Amino acid sequence: MHELSIAIQIVEIVEEEAAKVEAESITRLELDIGLLSGVERDALEFAMEEAIRGSLLEKTQIVYNFIKAVMVCEECCNEFNTDDYFNSCPYCNSLKTIFIKGKELNIKSIEILKQ
Amino acid sequence: MCGTCGCGEDEHITYRNPNNPDSHLHEHSHFHGDKEHSHAHHHEHDHSHPHSHDHSHDYLLKPGGGALNSQTIQLQRKILSKNDLLAERNRGHFEALNIVAFNLVSSPGSGKTAVLERTILEKGSDFNCYVIEGDQQTMNDAERIKSAGAPVIQINTGNGCHLDALMVNKAMKDLKLPENSTLFIENVGNLVCPALFDLGETKRVVIISVTEGEDKPAKYPTMFETAQLCLINKTDLLPYLDFDLEKFRQIATQVNHHIEFIEISAKTGEGFNQWYEWIVKHRLSETD
């Protein structure tokens, strides 16, 4: 259950960034979360509800972009979608595949109000 | 980086030296101010969260009449960037002093401490071993390492389920690592959370014992995906178990085709020469 520490990190980073531009409030927060990032979707959403309490993000609209995993084959450079770690390349059957999408844990953007 | 996962609070993290258990009690400084202690439970919750909130835009007008401007800022910032930055600082420190650092991860009871004990007893002075021990509670592992003969700092994470780069940063300062030393960081026994937290280590070593199921890499893929070496421990028990080594290797390779394997027994010492060769290889590559 590391999702709460991740949620707390999100709130800290967003509050810092909002302070840098002297934002009065944060209206929207967009997160990119890879489906194989090691973060459980429901647990993160639940942890965020706790983490934003009493913060600048309490009334912020939070948009989660859950990103499907894409792998590329090291042998034949074929790209393919996957839901897990065990897919071999559908083109050449090699197991030498690496993730190019699906591992994201990023704060994409914030929408703020300022003077 | 807040070192807690779920229900921990940073003040509960302690750093202790078994030679002087009372003098090394540090409180862990934390970034999140006076955030309330909150208990998180993994629970079934089947409703989705659109998180929409219908708001009128009247509030764009301040009471004084001055309008607020809406602005979108593209951050593209990694959520774990604070931990990653600190981890890079640790890595820089290790590089400057020509230290190799290994992050040992596994489920509880697979033999991390036993592997370290034998390594220290047999190669403690050759490798100049230093150890950071991570556990939720107790000094037990630090006492074992101390008896084996290596300087050690015990981090007790309280309720936290992993070590993070800040904890390692503080502990390694207490250890006063000399040049050309080898640092073993024994992470909290957990195959889930430690996978996400870079500590600045040179290499990550996952340990599995043959008393566990051979499908562990399938169940906890992130951990096996992020490790460079897999030590398969307790091989002396293989005759009594149904553990299928080949099947295990095959599943682990599916998750991470770059992972190396060494079969060892911390009890009999079988396979340890190979483990030492692997350490030497990385100590040499650090020197180059």
Side-chain angles (χ1 to χ4, degrees), chain A residues 1-2 4-5 12 16-17 45 49 59 61 74 85-86 103 105 107-110 112 114-115, chain B residues 4-6 32 49 51 53 62 69-71 73 75-77 79 82 193 196 222 225 255 257:
Chain A
M1 181 57 197
H2 46 284
L4 187 61
S5 34
E12 279 176 19
E16 270 172 25
E17 296 289 344
E45 291 184 347
E49 286 175 29
K59 296 202 163 61
Q61 180 196 2
E74 283 185 355
Y85 287 79
F86 312 108
K103 291 279 180 185
L105 265 186
I107 298 168
K108 189 180 180 202
S109 65
I110 54 172
I112 53 135
K114 63 181 287 190
Q115 281 287 356
Chain B
T4 56
C5 294
H32 60 89
H49 296 274
H51 288 284
H53 70 165
K62 286 191 76 184
N69 298 313
S70 177
Q71 188 185 339
I73 304 169
L75 292 178
Q76 295 293 4
R77 214 176 130 180
I79 294 167
K82 279 185 181 168
C193 314
L196 288 188
T222 314
E225 195 207 0
V255 175
H257 58 275

Side-chain angles (χ1 to χ4, degrees), chain B:
Chain B
M1 182 74 227
C2 168
T4 56
C5 294
C7 10
E9 272 290 310
D10 282 347
E11 300 88 83
H12 297 153
I13 300 169
T14 56
Y15 302 77
R16 284 182 287 173
N17 183 330
N19 292 321
N20 202 352
D22 296 326
S23 71
H24 275 80
L25 237 131
H26 295 288
E27 287 216 330
H28 181 62
S29 70
H30 57 126
F31 298 134
H32 60 89
D34 50 5
K35 200 159 283 300
E36 279 184 359
H37 176 90
S38 49
H39 266 278
H41 307 276
H42 199 296
H43 68 154
E44 287 300 319
H45 86 159
D46 51 11
H47 56 286
S48 63
H49 296 274
H51 288 284
S52 61
H53 70 165
D54 297 319
H55 55 84
S56 73
H57 285 259
D58 294 342
Y59 67 90
L60 289 177
L61 293 172
K62 286 191 76 184
L68 289 172
N69 298 313
S70 177
Q71 188 185 339
T72 303
I73 304 169
Q74 297 297 331
L75 292 178
Q76 295 293 4
R77 214 176 130 180
K78 281 185 159 188
I79 294 167
L80 292 174
S81 53
K82 279 185 181 168
N83 183 72
D84 292 349
L85 271 175
L86 257 171
E88 285 306 326
R89 243 172 76 186
N90 293 350
R91 196 165 277 126
H93 180 93
F94 297 146
E95 273 183 32
L97 292 175
N98 196 31
I99 295 165
V100 276
F102 301 112
N103 179 5
L104 274 62
V105 292
S106 82
S107 34
S110 53
K112 291 186 294 298
T113 315
V115 169
L116 282 182
E117 278 177 314
R118 182 174 278 276
T119 306
I120 292 161
L121 285 170
E122 294 180 352
K123 293 282 181 183
S125 51
D126 291 4
F127 294 160
N128 203 4
C129 295
Y130 284 72
V131 178
I132 295 173
E133 278 288 339
D135 282 300
Q136 285 199 326
Q137 302 289 344
T138 82
M139 292 283 285
N140 297 357
D141 283 1
E143 295 293 350
R144 284 170 63 184
I145 297 297
K146 185 188 144 197
S147 310
V152 56
I153 293 288
Q154 174 82 49
I155 303 176
N156 284 137
T157 57
N159 292 320
C161 55
H162 60 263
L163 296 181
D164 64 36
L166 179 64
M167 296 180 201
V168 169
N169 188 276
K170 291 180 141 226
M172 75 191 198
K173 282 176 188 159
D174 277 359
L175 268 177
K176 299 187 177 62
L177 299 169
E179 278 188 61
N180 305 314
S181 53
T182 305
L183 174 65
F184 294 98
I185 306 163
E186 186 183 325
N187 219 312
V188 179
N190 175 352
L191 276 179
V192 186
C193 314
L196 288 188
F197 294 85
D198 183 7
L199 305 179
E201 70 265 22
T202 316
K203 296 285 171 192
R204 188 173 291 187
V205 180
V206 61
I207 300 173
I208 182 172
S209 59
V210 296
T211 52
E212 303 168 52
E214 61 263 288
D215 58 349
K216 272 271 163 81
K219 289 176 171 168
Y220 303 98
T222 314
M223 187 60 88
F224 285 85
E225 195 207 0
T226 56
Q228 285 80 37
L229 174 69
C230 176
L231 290 178
I232 306 170
N233 192 23
K234 307 190 189 176
T235 51
D236 55 296
L237 294 176
L238 274 173
Y240 313 104
L241 302 165
D242 295 327
F243 188 88
D244 184 340
L245 264 175
E246 263 325 291
K247 192 173 163 199
F248 169 77
R249 282 167 179 263
Q250 188 199 339
I251 296 172
T253 311
Q254 273 182 306
V255 175
N256 175 358
H257 58 275
H258 294 296
I259 201 163
E260 297 174 65
F261 301 94
I262 300 176
E263 291 159 31
I264 56 166
S265 164
K267 193 174 173 67
T268 65
E270 183 196 338
F272 268 68
N273 282 337
Q274 246 185 301
W275 160 235
Y276 298 146
E277 279 166 23
W278 190 86
I279 295 174
V280 168
K281 188 173 82 185
H282 291 289
R283 280 172 58 83
L284 289 176
S285 66
E286 284 291 292
T287 323
D288 291 341

